[in-house]
Amino acid sequence: MPYSYTLYKEEVKHHFLNSLVSSIRILDVGPGCGTYSHLLKEHFPNMDAIEIFESYVSQFDLHNKYNNIIIGDIREYDFRDYEYIIMGDVLEHLSVSDAKKILNVIKENDILCLV
């Protein structure tokens, strides 16, 4: 689903603005229509995205919303160079085992994460 609920988006923005430096490298996993780019890109210019559905890139103009768009699967992508991972509406689409593996990599590498 390319769209996410609008609930708590202002709280998320507040968290980012009050907790992070603007130069932080962010990876938005499964950006769909680009919700988090709309919310944060103005203040956090180093945002990339990884999207599994290639058609979403043109459908939602993701190239103009993120610096880099990776077409791929987060389970197979080395995201350890990022300082913050956004996983909005993503984990529920993975098996419990795959979700745990990704979260363990995030934890082991001291990467900040929004789920």
Side-chain angles (χ1 to χ4, degrees):
M1 179 188 310
Y3 303 98
S4 63
Y5 293 105
T6 57
L7 294 173
Y8 303 108
K9 294 302 190 270
E10 283 305 311
E11 289 84 352
V12 167
K13 184 175 182 178
H14 180 77
H15 158 71
F16 273 78
L17 290 174
N18 291 303
S19 304
L20 305 171
V21 296
S22 63
S23 61
I24 195 165
R25 293 197 64 229
I26 299 171
L27 179 65
D28 187 357
V29 179
C33 68
T35 297
Y36 289 99
S37 174
H38 290 290
L39 193 66
L40 302 170
K41 182 80 162 133
E42 172 185 353
H43 304 284
F44 299 93
N46 298 317
M47 289 186 73
D48 293 343
I50 181 167
E51 177 57 64
I52 201 166
F53 298 113
E54 187 171 2
S55 64
Y56 285 3
V57 175
S58 59
Q59 182 179 354
F60 298 109
D61 195 26
L62 296 180
H63 281 297
N64 287 316
K65 296 177 182 177
Y66 296 91
N67 296 343
N68 299 293
I69 302 291
I70 300 104
I71 305 298
D73 189 326
I74 191 63
R75 295 171 294 183
E76 300 166 2
Y77 184 70
D78 183 1
F79 53 83
R80 293 176 293 170
D81 286 338
Y82 291 92
E83 299 164 283
Y84 206 110
I85 307 292
I86 297 174
M87 298 187 74
D89 302 316
V90 171
L91 292 181
E92 64 267 28
H93 298 286
L94 303 175
S95 69
V96 171
S97 173
D98 286 341
K100 284 181 178 180
K101 286 178 190 174
I102 291 168
L103 292 173
N104 282 334
V105 171
I106 290 169
K107 182 179 177 184
E108 290 167 1
N109 288 278
D110 293 321
I111 301 169
L112 299 170
C113 182
L114 173 71
V115 175

